[in-house]
Amino acid sequence: MWWKSRRRAGLWAVAGAAVLVVGTGASAGAGGRIAPEADVAHHGHVTVLDGRLEVSLHSRSHGPASLDGATVRLRFSEPLAGAQKLPGRCLWGSDRVVMCGVGELRAGGAARQVRLDLRTVGAPAEVVMEIDTMWNGGASDRNPSNNEHRVLAPATGDPYAF
């Protein structure tokens, strides 16, 4: 059973490496570099009425590092109507997912805004939207609570903040 002991030793080596990375509070990126730390935050509001879905999203880096760019993912509980045009920095992930590049985020700088005007299939009574950072250039973010949101938006025409 030599393979079991080699496998167990390999698992211990991987666990030890993970403890080293977590213990230092940094993560190694490509080429063994230490990843910068940047607290990415997404805030805004979503409005739903008669199958129309409007999203206003503001993204920023609270630092300490600036980011060359970041990508936010928006997931919707209801399918979105086909053949809709998205802003230039956005693309479809599926009929319920839109991903948008927010551009450069300077530490402590002004927020970058993305606006979406979408239509759902039919006219749902409510839509749940989930927001998260899909890509941030490999930076570590010790405070994901301000960039991961789940918001319930009843179809009242009122803006629901996140």
Side-chain angles (χ1 to χ4, degrees):
M1 306 304 172
W2 60 270
W3 64 87
K4 287 185 180 180
S5 63
R6 286 185 81 187
R7 182 175 168 194
R8 191 172 312 142
L11 289 173
W12 280 109
V14 168
V19 167
L20 278 175
V21 169
V22 171
T24 62
S27 59
R33 296 184 311 251
I34 301 298
E37 182 179 340
D39 181 16
V40 175
H42 306 296
H43 296 289
H45 65 269
V46 58
T47 303
V48 180
L49 183 63
D50 296 329
R52 185 171 175 192
L53 187 104
E54 295 177 359
V55 178
S56 177
L57 174 81
H58 302 270
S59 301
R60 67 173 19 124
S61 172
H62 292 295
S66 296
L67 298 173
D68 291 336
T71 303
V72 63
R73 175 176 39 205
L74 305 159
R75 291 182 271 195
F76 302 95
S77 61
E78 296 293 324
L80 302 171
Q84 295 184 70
K85 185 168 173 68
L86 296 174
R89 297 178 299 186
C90 299
L91 57 90
W92 292 101
S94 73
D95 68 339
R96 294 173 190 240
V97 177
V98 174
M99 297 168 287
C100 296
V102 296
E104 180 182 11
L105 299 175
R106 294 196 177 274
R112 303 291 302 249
Q113 185 175 25
V114 173
R115 287 191 178 275
L116 297 171
D117 187 6
L118 302 168
R119 290 179 326 280
T120 60
V121 172
E126 64 187 26
V127 173
V128 175
M129 182 175 75
E130 295 180 4
I131 303 104
D132 67 334
T133 302
M134 186 173 171
W135 179 82
N136 68 359
S140 65
D141 187 343
R142 295 185 193 195
N143 183 20
S145 65
N146 61 2
N147 68 328
E148 296 175 357
H149 306 283
R150 181 180 170 103
V151 60
L152 170 65
T156 61
D158 297 316
Y160 292 89
F162 55 89

